[in-house]
Amino acid sequence: MRAALLVGIAGAIGAVSRVSIGEISFGFGNFPFATFTVNMVGTFFLCFLSAGFIQRLRLNHDLQTALTTGFLGSFTTFSAFSMETVNLFQNDAILIALMYIASSIVGGFLFGSIGMKLARKAGRE
């Protein structure tokens, strides 16, 4: 029960953080930069933490779950990515939709890889 409560609290903080970034973000045309930004930042931190750095923080398992599943799970958003992509296609912004899909996939791998490499490097120091 404690883990679920912590995940809920962290999830609320992650969701509010995500909305805040959406409100202050800038945009170029129809490209959904807010969702792209939170997904790349969230991917980086999830991979960074999952590559072993979270154990260095010496958090108990419930707090680790709250941080990863709760905060980062609600901060990032696959459903918004999907909805925005569908909307772009429906509004005949095909090129932007394809760029969004490609940049999200490539960016996710890139940010995830960087996060893992930095965590492993930090673990050796």
Side-chain angles (χ1 to χ4, degrees), residues 43-119:
T43 298
F44 171 83
F45 281 111
L46 183 60
C47 289
F48 183 80
L49 293 171
S50 297
F53 191 80
I54 200 163
Q55 286 77 19
R56 293 186 71 206
L57 297 176
R58 300 179 193 266
L59 300 176
N60 72 32
H61 186 351
D62 291 348
L63 289 174
Q64 290 178 18
T65 303
L67 181 58
T68 56
T69 302
F71 179 81
L72 291 173
S74 68
F75 180 70
T76 60
T77 173
F78 186 76
S79 57
F81 163 75
S82 300
M83 181 198 63
E84 290 165 346
T85 302
V86 169
N87 285 338
L88 288 168
F89 278 116
Q90 289 177 342
N91 292 319
D92 295 322
I94 308 299
L95 183 58
I96 294 172
L98 294 174
M99 288 173 38
Y100 186 36
I101 292 167
S103 63
S104 293
I105 292 169
V106 171
F109 282 120
L110 179 65
F111 278 83
S113 295
I114 292 169
M116 287 186 149
K117 286 180 184 179
L118 288 176

Side-chain angles (χ1 to χ4, degrees), residues 29-47:
N30 294 332
F31 194 90
F33 278 102
T35 303
F36 179 77
T37 300
V38 298
N39 284 341
M40 295 305 106
V41 169
T43 298
F44 171 83
F45 281 111
L46 183 60
C47 289

Side-chain angles (χ1 to χ4, degrees), residues 7-22:
V7 166
I9 292 168
I13 295 168
V16 169
S17 299
R18 191 253 178 270
V19 168
S20 298
I21 288 174

